[in-house]
Amino acid sequence: MLTIYSEEHRYQDGKAELIDGQLLPPFEMPRRAEMVLERVRAVGLGDILAPQDFGLAPLEAVHDARYLAFLAAAWGDWVKSGREHDALPLNWQIRGMRALEPESIDGKLSYFSFDAGTPIMSGTWRAAQASANVALTGAARVKEGARGVFSLCRPPGHHAAEDYYGGYCFLNNAAIAAQWLRDHGAAKVALLDIDYHHGNGTQSIFYDRPDVFFASLHGHPKQEFPFFLGYEDETGEGSGEGANANFPLEWGTGFERWFGALQEAARRIRTFGAEALVISLGVDTYKDDPISHFTLDSDDYLQIGRTIAGLGLPTLFVMEGGYAVEEIGVNAVNVLTGFEEAS
């Protein structure tokens, strides 16, 4: 299997995130991608290629132009305000407040974000663009006929919506890739999110669309971040009704129950009739992940890969979460090797 990877992910290297009531070193760190790449090489998964540059057009097909302009200018505006440490938001527009974009950088950070765990720094925009290009390059290879491609994206993307960031995500790599596949000939695309956390950004981008089916297996929003999306009754709206499926699972979920949800999601994807499949590949479902509460083991990821292969679709794997850093490479690559074995 071909892997797409960019060294530019290292330009996103935050000093602190607000979590558990403290400013702590981010769980989302460059070493995550490095460990996955090391495992790709160790098992001889296949060639590793640098991404092409697709420009802004594929990003603009998914994200709001004002939001992209904010991301491109945010660090410069932050430094102009007299600060050179990582930029984090101050407060959020919430019930009863007006949804108007402020002029000051503090206001913009708050307006375009939904958490304080996603620091912006000098290299954020560069790293985020490179990550999107990693996903797009993988999508292009799938269009050219590859059975499966691994886009080793970092920063991740599935929490980023049309016009806001959070959850370590700035550009929604999986959504950008899915839209690119639609724009280049696939009549229907399915997007399966197996990260521990709900892909709120991906859901919101495609929620009223009948041409992109989104399914997510995740920690139940009554217990788990991002809390405010991911319930079972969110099934799409308008012409997209029925093209969204959530499988929220409570803390302590093990592989048997999780796998049952995966099988149902796979059944829904078959019924949908997709021509291509994008996987938001998070392995923070692992039993020892420091910020998650499922109990999957490393060998379980082999079966996940085999099941995905059973769908028989051209498949793009887009890296998302996974914060047990020493095991992330084994777990992520187990999905890919399981897929290869069954293809």
Side-chain angles (χ1 to χ4, degrees):
M1 181 184 292
L2 181 66
T3 295
I4 316 297
Y5 172 80
S6 172
E7 297 283 351
E8 295 197 357
H9 77 86
R10 294 191 176 98
Y11 285 96
Q12 177 65 19
D13 188 8
K15 301 300 182 291
E17 64 170 301
L18 181 61
I19 189 168
D20 295 335
Q22 304 175 77
L23 281 171
L24 298 173
F27 286 99
E28 205 296 289
M29 64 184 75
R31 184 163 166 76
R32 295 176 60 251
E34 294 161 5
M35 291 296 287
V36 177
L37 185 68
E38 180 179 302
R39 184 65 177 178
V40 165
R41 287 175 170 150
V43 303
L45 187 68
D47 290 340
I48 301 165
L49 297 182
Q52 304 165 241
D53 185 355
F54 285 74
L56 288 176
L59 312 187
E60 294 168 339
V62 167
H63 292 287
D64 179 78
R66 287 188 310 150
Y67 173 64
L68 294 174
F70 156 75
L71 284 179
W75 179 252
D77 290 345
W78 180 253
V79 171
K80 286 176 187 175
S81 71
R83 293 164 286 188
E84 295 185 357
H85 50 277
D86 292 356
L88 292 172
L90 180 65
N91 67 296
W92 290 276
Q93 177 266 331
I94 196 169
R95 295 173 293 277
M97 292 185 177
R98 297 185 67 184
L100 297 174
E101 180 184 348
E103 292 183 0
S104 72
I105 183 58
D106 288 281
K108 287 178 183 290
L109 287 163
S110 299
Y111 180 79
F112 286 113
S113 69
F114 76 91
D115 74 3
T118 312
I120 286 178
M121 64 213 62
S122 60
T124 295
W125 178 233
R126 181 173 178 177
Q129 284 183 288
S131 192
N133 281 324
V134 167
L136 286 162
T137 303
R141 289 304 184 109
V142 167
K143 180 184 180 297
E144 291 167 4
R147 175 72 173 85
V149 178
F150 177 38
S151 288
L152 210 181
C153 292
R154 184 184 171 270
H158 71 148
H159 292 306
E162 179 186 10
D163 62 354
Y164 62 79
Y165 71 95
Y168 309 138
C169 304
F170 301 97
L171 298 173
N172 195 313
N173 306 309
I176 290 166
Q179 183 61 50
W180 189 93
L181 289 166
R182 278 287 295 110
D183 291 339
H184 290 79
K188 289 184 174 182
V189 176
L191 210 162
L192 173 62
D193 192 323
I194 59 172
D195 188 277
Y196 172 78
H197 302 93
H198 180 249
N200 60 288
T202 313
Q203 173 173 303
S204 67
I205 287 166
F206 295 118
Y207 201 60
D208 60 355
R209 297 265 298 270
D211 56 332
V212 179
F213 180 80
F214 176 67
S216 177
L217 287 64
H218 51 270
H220 204 296
K222 69 183 181 182
Q223 296 175 316
E224 194 55 79
F225 179 94
F227 300 112
F228 303 110
L229 279 180
Y231 288 88
E232 288 175 298
D233 63 355
E234 297 160 16
T235 56
E237 64 182 9
S239 61
E241 175 61 44
N244 196 89
N246 285 319
F247 299 88
L249 301 164
E250 296 185 353
W251 285 349
T253 291
F255 183 64
E256 182 177 356
R257 187 176 175 203
W258 189 95
F259 188 65
L262 177 64
Q263 291 176 308
E264 176 59 19
R267 185 193 68 78
R268 294 284 303 274
I269 290 169
R270 289 189 187 96
T271 301
F272 179 70
E275 297 176 8
L277 176 63
V278 178
I279 305 293
S280 274
L281 176 57
V283 291
D284 39 1
T285 49
Y286 179 61
K287 63 183 181 181
D288 292 328
D289 194 275
I291 60 173
S292 305
H293 298 279
F294 288 172
T295 62
L296 276 63
D297 214 335
S298 293
D299 286 347
D300 296 331
Y301 295 101
L302 292 163
Q303 182 60 33
I304 293 168
R306 296 184 194 112
T307 302
I308 293 168
L311 288 166
L313 292 170
T315 302
L316 173 65
F317 293 89
V318 175
M319 193 70 209
E320 301 283 3
Y323 308 100
V325 176
E326 298 307 311
E327 294 87 1
I328 186 175
V330 171
N331 295 338
V333 175
N334 274 3
V335 176
L336 306 176
T337 54
F339 178 91
E340 290 280 86
E341 289 167 2
S343 292

